[in-house]
Each structure stands twice: as C-alpha cells, then as structure tokens.
C-alpha cells in the first residue's frame, strides 16, 4: 500500500509550522525543493494503519507568483498532486487567511481546513461556527490549537477520511470577467492547453491576473497563448474604460466578497467596538514611537545580561571538564605526536567551541521567547522606518534578525530569507549585508574577547557589538545602494500577529534544536578542521640541527646554573623559544608569518592570522584555532588556563588589538557555506567574490584605523 501524500499550506503566523512539529515531532527530514533553495520539511507518519507523507509548504498569503515561496508552494501542489491539502488558518483572521483557501479550492484539489488558534480567537471574543463554515465552503473544517496539541487526532483522521475527495469549485467574478473566463476555458479545453497540470478555469484566471510564470509556460504554445492574451487585452481595455481598474483587482474583490458572504453568521464578534484587545493595548506601549525603541533596547540588554549570567556556571563546568580531560591525557599518554594531537588538536580545539554551548542554549531560549510571543515581529515593525532611510525596507529586518541581528542566528537562513523581498535592489542589498550580523558562529569569538578584555560589562559589550553590527550593515547598504547596486525602492506591508503565551515545551524544543545543530557542527566539521589545523601547526617540525642547538643550550644551563629555581626559569625560557620557533616554522606558521608584516598594522600576529584564515571556512574555527595555537605554545600543560586568560596575559594582545579584531570579525568575509548561498541566491560569482575579497580588504582597512586610534587613546 503506497503512502498517502498530504501537504500543509497556510499564511505566515497561522501556526502551520507548530502544527507540523506537533504531528511530525522530531522525525522529519529537511531538504530543499527541487531547483531552488527554499527549505522543505517532510515527515513520514504512521496513523491508524496508514502511512502519511506530510510536507510543510512555505508560508504564503496566496498562490499568485509574487514571491519564490508562492511559486514553490504552487508548483509543488500542481506537480506532486497530493491526496489532500491541509490549509492552516488563523481563526482570529479568517477573511484574510481563507483567501488562500479559495485559491487552493480553485485548483479542484481535496482541501481540509485546520481552524487553528481557536483559543486565541475566543479570548478576543470571536466565536467561529466551524460546522457552518464547513457547510458553506463545502470542505471539512477541523478545530486545532497546535501549541497545546489540540486537534491532532481529529486532523489526522480528517486527512485519512477526506483524501482524494475532489470537488469542483468555482465562484463568479462578475459580468465583466465571467464571459471572458468561459471563452478562455473553451479554448483551453479544446487545445488541452496545460490541462495536465492545471484546471482550465484556473489557467484562465491566471492569465487575467497576468501571472508571469503561467504566461511564460504558455508562450511555448503560440497559437493558444495568442488567443488568450488577446482576450485579456480586450478585458483590460474594457475595465480601464468603464471602471478604471484592472482584472486582478476585480478578481481579488470578488474573492473577498465571496468570503464575506461565507463568514456571515459564521463569525460573531462580541463587544468588538467597546474594547481594545490585549495585543492592541500592549502595542500602544511596546511599539510606541518614543517608548518602543527604549523598551526594545532594554529587552535586548536584558537578554544578554541573562544569557551571560545564566551560562556562567555551566560554561565554567565545561571549562573544568575539558581542563580535566587535557590533564588526564597529559598524564596517561606518552610524549609525542599522539599526545599533542589529543590535547592541542582535539580537546583544546573542539573544547574551545563546545565550551560555549550553554551560552548558545540560553541565548536561543530567550530568542525563542521573543519569537513565540510575537515581540520579534514588533522589533521588525519598529525598525522598518530606520531601514527605509538606508535604502532597505521592512522585509529586510527579518533576514537581519534570522542572520544574527539578535546575536545567535545564522547567516545562511538569513541570506535565504531575503528571497521574500520582491525588489531586486533591496533583495541584493539585504543578501550582501546580512552576513555582518552577530551570527551564532561569531558569538564564541565575541564572548572570548569580552571575557578576556571586558569581563566587568559582558551584557553591555554584547549589546554594543549587536548594535554596532546593525550600524555597519546599514551603512554598507547605504553606500552600496548609492554606488554599485541600482534600482527602485518597493512598498512593504507588515502583519503584526497577536501576542501569544509560549509553551515551555515549544521553547525548549526550539532552543535545543538550534543548540544541537551547533554541537553537531563542533563534533564534525570543526573537529575535522581542528585536526587539519593542528597538523599544519605541527609539521614539518624543527630540524635536527636546531633541536640539537636548543638541547645544548639546556645542557649548558643545567651544568652552569646551580640554583634550582633559576635553572628552571632559564630552561623554561629556552623551551619557550624552541616552541615558538617550531610553531613559526610549521606550515600554518609560515602562512601566518607571510602575512604578518602587513597584518601587524592592525595588531595581528601570525597566530591571529591563522585563526582569521580558518574563520573563512567557519567562524567557530577562529576560537578553536586560537585554542590550538596557544595550547601548542604552552610549556607546561599542567598550567593550562582558559583561552580568554591566555589572550589577556599574552603580550601580543592589547585592548587595541581586541577592538581591531572585533571589527575585523564583524566585517570580513562570510564563511564558505554562506558564500555558496550568496552565489546561489544572487546567481552571480561577481557578488560572491565581492563578499569574499571586498569585505576582507574593507575589514582590514577598518581594523588598521581602529587599532591605531585606540592605541593613541590608551
């Protein structure tokens, strides 16, 4: 028996993904839709003896091809021919949410409506008669509260019961369009024009809506395409002359008119005019033009203070654990390459990154609270006005936040999130500047430097770095928009969903999901690259001649210095000099030393140079590489200390160096994976090369200026 194919469709903020997580749990696969980089979640579920393959479609407001997500959702439905489509709708905003349902039903596919967040609607004194709604729409309507797990069983039973129950659906578009639609349908049916993929009436509607994707497909059939476009032109002229409007506006008006008639008697709002909803009351303060920005800064500051405070103890535990592991390996393993690999390559390299896992966990937990309550959307709303001043628009806020606008995100989904921006100019500017955000991979670097040089004001420094990242990204967007990225600004409309009380289960799920990705990355990619970097820092090793020279030096000290303390100190100095020479002579040391004459202008020595190069592969490697480099430079492993303490006490590091390195980390090339995503999203190697080379050169120039200015001030 083949598995039943079901898809989840719905507007953004309708609770669709929460419903998918409720049904699928953690047993789902993440991939991309064919040919594009839109994320696709798919789960295989067993229920009541049946197998269901459930696919979570991208959140869309319609099936009109305005954005990549809408094209992907529509193509997936029409090409895979699912057995049932579950349209998840927000019960508080039925008219707007059901607009998508109407378009799904016009495809003549089996549709089940999941009436989600019914509890929130009732709290707002909105009563929905689900039975009457089902009767009027002619499709099953099932009440759900996804975040509380309500309606899961009924929905799965509905999927099994109503699968493949196709119903022809059509609404009237008035006396101006209906005759034209009938004429077009006749032509389409006669020639079997695209009828393998779409219902004939649906294709005719798309022609009247000037749908670029459908008309492009139609161009391959010149005869039919010519007849249909001639009818469209005739209708457009008539509507322009008589009503001064366009067919797509008439179509939208009639769809909303149909929905208003459906919702009459279905939705009852009690005391609507006498009360402001709790969300509206909260927004009067939280998004106030004067108070809102201060509250937002206070929230972000509190987020960072809490994160550092709560993670301090577990981070200390992990540091002690990795210190103990290093000491144990030192005691058990004989001196040699294996011991060096285990301690410096694996424990110090990977441990330097894993040590920040508690901080990442707490950070994502707080971010999950901001997202699930709806406050994150308010932040985007408040920043819209600011973004416009820099040539961007409100949609750019979401990629910035996803990319690390509130420290802890990831530049890869941030860059991908820019595809919802319709204006090519604003989309490109957003793609090119999102990597400046404080992503989760940069977070350990910032935390390391803060712990080393500004330990007394961790929260304030992290907030300053976050705001600095935003400022640098916006300034870069302004400069690029005025110089090399040309185009017009577009109009942006943002929806503010009502505030919701998040569930502990949901918060823990989101926080753990993202933290696990971080830990998994440390245990795979970072482990592998740490070992490679250890090898580059260990080989080819010191020549026999130079080794003999240092052994002679030690022997001379042992034979000439009688005082034990003085002898030990002198031997330690010789061993330090030997290790330093050996490191500099390694393959990595030669690379770092090659760049040192130039990078010294910004205060970076050869070890810092190696970490910078490693950071282009993945930003987490900056910390692990520094950990390996400074571990290899230690004479006595028993005196090992946290990397932050090593940097703070190292003579090659100063406040000026730390400031320059912070700015360099903010600005230089994104990691390889982000560069690959930029290449795919822009379709241009030119912009990828610009992000790699241009940003690195720019970061270096800024770092030189910062290093020298701060050096003069202190």
């Amino acid at each position: 028996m083949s598995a039943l194919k079901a898809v989840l469709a719905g507007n953004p903020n309708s609770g669709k993904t929460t419903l998918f997580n409720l049904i699928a749990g953690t047993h789902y696969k993440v991939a991309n839709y064919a040919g594009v980089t839109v994320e696709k979640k798919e789960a295989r579920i067993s229920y009541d003896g049946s197998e269901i393959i459930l696919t979570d479609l991208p959140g869309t407001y319609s099936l009109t091809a305005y954005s990549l997500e809408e094209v992907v959702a529509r193509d997936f439905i029409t090409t895979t021919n699912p057995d049932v489509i579950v349209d998840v709708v927000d019960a508080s905003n039925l008219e707007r949410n059901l607009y998508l349902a109407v378009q799904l039903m016009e495809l003549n596919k089996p549709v089940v409506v999941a009436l989600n967040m019914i509890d929130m609607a009732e709290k707002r004194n909105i009563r929905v008669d689900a039975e009457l709604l089902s009767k009027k729409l002619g499709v099953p309507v099932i009440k759900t509260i996804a975040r509380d797990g309500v309606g899961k069983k009924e929905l799965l039973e509905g999927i099994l019961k109503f699968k493949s129950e196709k119903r022809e659906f059509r609404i009237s578009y008035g006396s101006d369009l209906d005759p034209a639609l009938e004429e077009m349908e006749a032509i389409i049916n006669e020639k079997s024009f695209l009828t393998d993929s779409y219902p004939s009436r649906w294709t005719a509607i798309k022609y009247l809506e000037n749908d670029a994707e459908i008309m492009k497909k139609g161009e391959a059939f010149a005869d039919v395409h010519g007849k249909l476009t001639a009818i469209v032109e005739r209708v457009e002229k008539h509507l322009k002359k008589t009503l001064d409007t366009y067919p797509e506006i008439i179509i939208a008006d009639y769809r909303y008119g149909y929905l208003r008639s459906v919702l009459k008697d279905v939705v009852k709002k009690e005391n609507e005019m006498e009360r402001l909803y709790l969300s509206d009351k909260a927004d009067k303060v939280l998004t106030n033009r004067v108070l809102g920005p201060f509250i937002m800064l206070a929230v972000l500051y509190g987020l960072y203070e809490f994160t550092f405070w709560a993670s301090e103890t577990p981070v200390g535990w992990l540091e002690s654990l990795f210190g103990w592991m290093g000491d144990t390996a030192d005691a058990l393993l004989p001196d040699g390459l294996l011991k060096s690999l285990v301690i410096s390559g694996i424990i110090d390299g990977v441990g330097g990154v894993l040590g920040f896992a508690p901080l990442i966990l707490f950070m994502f937990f707080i971010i999950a609270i901001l997202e699930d309550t709806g406050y994150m959307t308010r932040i985007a709303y408040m920043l819209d006005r600011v973004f416009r001043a820099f040539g961007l628009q409100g949609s750019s806020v979401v990629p910035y936040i996803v990319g690390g606008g509130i420290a802890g995100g990831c530049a890869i989904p941030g860059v991908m999130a820019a595809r919802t921006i319709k204006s090519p100019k604003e989309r490109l500017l957003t793609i090119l500047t999102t990597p400046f955000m404080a992503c989760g991979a940069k977070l350990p670097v910032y935390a390391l430097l803060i712990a080393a040089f500004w330990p007394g004001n961790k929260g304030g420094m992290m907030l300053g770095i976050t705001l600095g990242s935003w400022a640098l990204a916006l300034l870069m967007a302004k400069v690029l928009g005025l110089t090399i990225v040309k185009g017009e600004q577009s109009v942006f409309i943002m929806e503010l969903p009502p505030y919701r009380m998040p569930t502990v289960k949901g918060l823990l799920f989101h926080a753990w999901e993202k933290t696990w990705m971080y830990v998994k990355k440390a245990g795979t990619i970072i482990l592998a690259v740490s070992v490679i970097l250890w090898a580059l820092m260990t080989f080819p090793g010191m020549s026999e001649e130079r080794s003999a020279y240092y052994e002679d030096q030690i022997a001379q000290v042992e034979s000439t210095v009688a005082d034990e303390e003085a002898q030990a100190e002198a031997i330690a100095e010789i061993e330090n000099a030997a290790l330093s020479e050996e490191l500099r002579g390694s393959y990595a040391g030669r690379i770092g030393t090659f760049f040192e004459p130039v990078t010294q202008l910004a205060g970076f020595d050869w070890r810092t140079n190696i970490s910078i190069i490693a950071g282009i592969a993945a930003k987490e490697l900056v910390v692990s590489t520094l950990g390996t480099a400074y571990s290899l430079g230690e004479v006595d492993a028993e005196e090992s200390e946290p990397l932050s303490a090593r940097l703070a006490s190292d003579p090659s590091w100063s406040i000026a160096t730390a400031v320059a390195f912070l700015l360099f980390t903010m600005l230089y090339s994104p990691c390889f994976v982000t560069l690959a995503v930029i290449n795919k999203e822009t379709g241009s190697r030119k912009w990828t090369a610009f992000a790699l080379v241009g940003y690195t050169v720019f970061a270096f120039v800024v770092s030189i200026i910062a290093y020298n200015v701060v050096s003069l001030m202190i």
Side-chain angles (χ1 to χ4, degrees):
M1 184 176 65
S2 60
L4 184 150
K5 292 183 292 184
V7 297
L8 281 186
N11 290 185
N13 299 314
S14 64
K16 180 175 62 65
T17 300
T18 306
L19 189 59
F20 178 84
N21 292 335
L22 170 70
I23 297 173
T26 56
H27 307 293
Y28 61 82
K29 296 178 181 176
V30 179
N32 284 340
Y33 288 93
V36 295
T37 51
V38 177
E39 189 178 86
K40 173 187 176 185
K41 285 184 177 177
E42 191 172 274
R44 195 178 187 93
I45 304 148
S46 296
Y47 184 78
D48 198 22
S50 298
E51 293 286 320
I52 302 172
I53 298 175
L54 184 65
T55 305
D56 185 22
L57 294 180
T60 61
Y61 291 103
S62 74
L63 291 183
T64 304
Y66 286 140
S67 70
L68 187 55
E69 278 74 10
E70 288 165 343
V71 173
V72 166
R74 189 173 77 186
D75 286 350
F76 187 82
I77 291 171
T78 54
T79 56
T80 62
N81 196 26
D83 296 297
V84 61
I85 302 169
V86 178
D87 183 27
V88 186
V89 300
D90 178 358
S92 303
N93 295 289
L94 269 184
E95 184 176 310
R96 192 203 62 213
N97 276 241
L98 286 174
Y99 189 84
L100 175 64
V102 169
Q103 294 182 73
L104 291 171
M105 290 189 291
E106 283 184 322
L107 281 168
N108 293 339
K109 303 286 185 185
V111 173
V112 171
V113 172
L115 190 62
N116 196 31
M117 296 189 284
I118 194 73
D119 57 331
M120 296 299 298
E122 290 173 354
K123 284 181 182 175
R124 300 177 70 173
N125 290 332
I126 299 173
R127 302 283 181 264
V128 181
D129 187 336
E131 191 176 339
L132 182 57
L133 177 62
S134 173
K135 187 177 178 182
K136 286 192 169 185
L137 286 175
V139 300
V141 176
I142 298 168
K143 291 182 179 180
T144 60
I145 306 173
R147 68 189 188 95
D148 291 340
V150 175
K152 174 183 174 182
K153 179 184 172 188
E154 291 79 2
L155 188 61
L156 287 170
E157 288 173 352
I159 289 173
L160 295 178
K161 183 178 178 182
F162 298 105
K163 62 182 179 182
S164 304
E165 192 170 302
K166 294 186 179 180
R167 298 181 184 183
E168 187 173 352
F169 176 83
R170 57 173 59 203
I171 60 175
S172 169
Y173 288 106
S175 57
D176 289 312
L177 297 192
D178 279 348
L181 282 170
E182 289 176 10
E183 186 180 354
M184 295 167 82
E185 274 188 86
I187 295 171
I188 291 168
N189 286 327
E190 181 187 353
K191 301 293 183 182
S192 299
F193 174 67
L194 301 178
T195 49
D196 289 342
S197 303
Y198 314 109
S200 55
R201 184 177 173 83
W202 189 88
T203 303
I205 291 170
K206 289 299 148 189
Y207 260 80
L208 284 173
E209 289 180 325
N210 278 312
D211 188 291
E213 289 289 319
I214 296 299
M215 297 187 85
K216 188 177 178 182
K217 289 181 180 178
E219 287 173 1
F221 307 86
D223 180 38
V224 184
H225 177 72
K227 290 180 181 178
L228 295 179
T229 52
I231 296 172
V232 172
E233 288 174 6
R234 188 186 74 208
V235 172
E236 285 177 342
K237 284 181 182 176
H238 173 71
L239 289 177
K240 187 67 181 172
K241 185 177 178 182
T242 56
L243 300 173
D244 192 24
T245 188
Y246 299 94
E248 52 265 44
I249 294 176
I250 295 288
I251 290 171
D253 285 346
Y254 272 85
R255 281 176 179 157
Y256 278 115
Y258 165 77
L259 287 173
R260 279 191 286 273
S261 68
V262 166
L263 295 177
K264 187 179 180 183
D265 299 327
V266 169
V267 176
K268 293 180 180 175
K269 300 179 180 179
E270 300 170 4
N271 303 321
E272 184 184 17
M273 301 304 293
E274 297 177 4
R275 66 187 294 271
L276 283 173
Y277 304 129
L278 184 59
S279 285
D280 300 327
K281 290 178 180 176
D283 277 337
K284 280 189 170 295
V285 178
L286 296 178
T287 61
N288 181 277
R289 285 197 173 200
V290 178
L291 291 176
F294 289 104
I295 294 172
M296 178 179 69
L297 288 175
V299 168
L300 296 182
Y301 180 73
L303 182 156
Y304 296 133
E305 280 293 329
F306 172 80
T307 300
F308 280 108
W309 169 79
S311 63
E312 186 174 1
T313 300
V315 165
W317 291 341
L318 283 180
E319 285 177 351
S320 300
L321 173 65
F322 286 111
W324 173 82
M325 290 171 66
D327 293 342
T328 304
D330 183 53
L332 295 178
L333 296 173
D335 288 340
L337 285 177
L338 178 61
K339 181 176 180 176
S340 176
L341 169 64
V342 171
I343 296 176
S344 300
I346 298 175
I347 295 176
D348 286 339
V350 177
V353 176
L354 279 182
F356 290 100
L359 186 143
I360 298 290
L361 178 66
F362 282 106
M363 181 75 77
F364 279 130
F365 184 78
I366 301 297
I367 289 174
I369 293 175
L370 299 183
E371 288 177 339
D372 289 6
T373 55
Y375 186 68
M376 190 73 86
T377 311
R378 269 71 182 181
I379 292 177
Y381 167 75
M382 286 186 282
L383 292 174
D384 179 46
R385 287 193 295 269
V386 178
F387 270 52
R388 292 196 167 279
F390 291 91
L392 299 168
Q393 53 132 293
S395 290
S396 307
V397 176
V398 176
Y400 272 28
I401 291 176
V402 173
I406 296 177
C410 178
I412 298 163
V415 169
M416 292 165 64
R419 64 181 59 152
T420 58
I421 301 171
K422 297 176 180 62
S423 159
K425 176 186 177 183
E426 291 156 354
R427 182 169 179 266
L428 180 57
L429 288 175
T430 306
I431 289 172
L432 292 176
T433 52
T434 293
F436 288 159
M437 295 295 105
C439 67
K442 291 179 182 175
L443 197 58
V445 185
Y446 298 149
L448 171 68
L449 295 175
I450 290 171
F453 297 98
W454 299 279
N457 187 21
K458 292 179 180 177
M461 277 302 299
M462 201 64 220
L463 179 61
I465 290 170
T466 302
L467 297 179
S469 299
W470 283 82
L472 289 169
L474 291 174
L475 285 172
M476 181 60 78
K478 186 70 175 179
V479 171
L480 292 177
L482 291 174
T483 53
I484 55 177
V485 181
K486 302 293 183 183
E488 299 292 327
Q489 274 194 286
S490 61
V491 178
F492 170 66
I493 299 172
M494 177 173 282
E495 175 195 4
L496 293 182
Y499 290 101
R500 301 187 183 106
M501 182 63 72
T503 63
V504 175
K505 182 181 176 184
L507 296 176
L508 293 175
F509 180 84
H510 293 313
W512 172 248
E513 185 182 43
K514 291 173 181 172
T515 306
W516 175 241
M517 288 175 65
Y518 176 84
V519 171
K520 199 161 61 172
K521 194 175 180 182
T524 52
I525 298 172
I526 293 172
L527 173 61
V529 179
S530 291
V531 171
I532 292 170
L533 288 169
W534 168 84
L536 290 173
M537 285 188 247
T538 301
F539 296 103
M542 188 177 288
S543 66
E544 291 183 2
E545 183 183 349
R546 294 300 297 169
S547 294
Y549 167 78
Y550 283 111
E551 286 172 6
D552 287 345
Q553 292 280 311
I554 291 172
Q556 283 184 27
V557 170
E558 289 174 339
S559 61
T560 57
V561 181
D563 182 75
E564 288 187 4
E565 187 174 342
Q567 187 187 85
E569 188 175 336
I571 290 174
E573 285 183 11
I574 295 169
E575 288 177 337
N576 256 333
L579 281 169
S580 179
E581 182 179 324
E582 187 174 5
L583 265 175
R584 272 187 176 271
S586 67
Y587 295 122
R590 292 173 191 178
I591 296 170
T593 304
F594 176 78
F595 290 106
E596 197 174 50
V598 178
T599 58
Q600 278 289 3
L601 296 173
F604 304 156
D605 69 359
W606 63 276
R607 284 180 291 199
T608 309
N609 293 345
I610 299 170
S611 73
I612 289 171
I613 295 169
I616 296 177
K619 289 292 179 290
E620 296 95 332
L621 291 169
V622 172
V623 173
S624 63
T625 305
L626 285 172
T628 302
Y630 279 87
S631 170
L632 286 168
E634 277 189 346
V635 172
D636 189 352
E638 292 182 359
E639 294 179 1
S640 61
E641 55 186 349
L643 180 58
S644 58
R646 295 180 208 169
L647 294 186
S649 60
D650 192 278
S652 63
W653 280 82
S654 65
I655 293 289
T657 312
V659 171
F661 195 60
L662 264 179
L663 288 169
F664 191 89
T665 305
M666 284 182 189
L667 294 171
Y668 89 114
S669 168
C671 67
F672 276 156
V673 182
T674 304
L675 287 171
V677 174
I678 289 175
N679 186 57
K680 188 152 191 171
E681 294 295 318
T682 61
S684 166
R685 293 180 181 173
K686 180 185 74 174
W687 290 118
T688 309
F690 176 77
L692 172 63
V693 180
Y695 283 176
T696 302
V697 172
F698 176 66
F700 186 56
V701 172
V702 171
S703 299
I704 292 174
I705 295 170
Y707 175 74
N708 288 280
V709 169
V710 177
S711 295
L712 291 173
M713 295 170 63
I714 58 177

